[in-house]
Amino acid sequence: MKLVQEKKSQQTLPLPHRSFAALRPDLDRVSIFTDAAWKHETKDVGFGWVIRNCPELTALHHQSASRNVRSPLMAEAIALFLALQYAQSIGITKLSMASDSQQLITTITSESPSTELYGIVFDILNLSLGFADVSFSFVPRSENRVADELAKSSLISFSIVPGSTGLNL
């Protein structure tokens, strides 16, 4: 009973609020394109993201993987969260986040997540408060090919390595 009460109190926490703008070019702004590839049978997932417009680099590619992710939408949210964490760790302060998951972007920008995504959206919004400026935008899959390829490659590599545990999310 106590666990149920604690869970309910966690769900009623107000989401961190931030106003969002559309994906926009800016010399100081870094664009990060994220994607996830999810395997239904095993619940394994590969994550990929590409950082563009970084002053020191023309593009920076990153990928990761995990097990036991319950849905493709959760996988997309985790990919975006991991990319935000990475951006913060390397000192990026202004960024445009892009995903080909329209449902995820709508959920983040409307700040009204489903029960399934409440925790990860809370974390994304809370982490976004640490940036000087951040936006979240939907991009068509055709504009997100590199992140898609990284996510698929990570999933394939992860799935063929016996005993891999990845991020264990």
Side-chain angles (χ1 to χ4, degrees):
M1 182 70 150
K2 186 177 180 181
L3 180 61
V4 170
Q5 288 173 337
E6 287 176 10
K7 189 171 184 174
K8 283 184 180 178
S9 68
Q10 288 175 344
Q11 291 178 345
T12 59
L13 289 174
L15 291 169
H17 179 71
R18 176 141 205 162
S19 59
F20 301 108
L23 187 65
R24 57 185 183 263
D26 182 341
L27 294 177
D28 291 1
R29 180 174 294 278
V30 172
S31 297
I32 302 179
F33 294 79
T34 68
D35 205 5
W38 185 74
K39 190 172 185 178
H40 180 265
E41 300 80 19
T42 61
K43 308 274 190 271
D44 289 350
V45 63
F47 308 107
W49 61 91
V50 180
I51 301 175
R52 295 188 184 140
N53 305 339
C54 196
E56 296 81 30
L57 305 164
T58 54
L60 179 62
H61 300 193
H62 194 81
Q63 60 192 121
S64 186
S66 184
R67 295 210 186 282
N68 301 315
V69 176
R70 70 184 119 189
S71 72
L73 184 57
M74 178 61 79
E76 294 283 354
I78 293 169
L80 194 139
F81 177 74
L82 292 173
L84 266 176
Q85 278 188 318
Y86 185 76
Q88 189 176 54
S89 76
I90 63 172
I92 293 172
T93 59
K94 292 166 118 183
L95 66 156
S96 296
M97 300 297 298
S99 170
D100 59 17
S101 173
Q102 192 162 18
Q103 185 178 0
L104 175 62
I105 296 303
T106 299
T107 299
I108 292 169
T109 58
S110 70
E111 298 178 9
S112 58
S114 65
T115 304
E116 176 193 7
L117 293 182
Y118 185 88
I120 190 75
V121 170
F122 181 91
D123 292 342
I124 288 168
L125 293 172
N126 196 45
L127 186 57
S128 75
L129 294 173
F131 294 93
D133 190 20
V134 64
S135 64
F136 297 89
S137 299
F138 167 75
V139 293
R141 184 161 292 154
S142 62
E143 294 178 28
N144 206 29
R145 281 193 189 119
V146 176
D148 178 63
E149 290 170 9
L150 289 168
K152 287 177 181 172
S153 169
S154 179
L155 177 60
I156 290 167
S157 297
F158 184 66
S159 296
I160 61 172
V161 177
S164 291
T165 58
L167 295 173
N168 218 7
L169 295 172

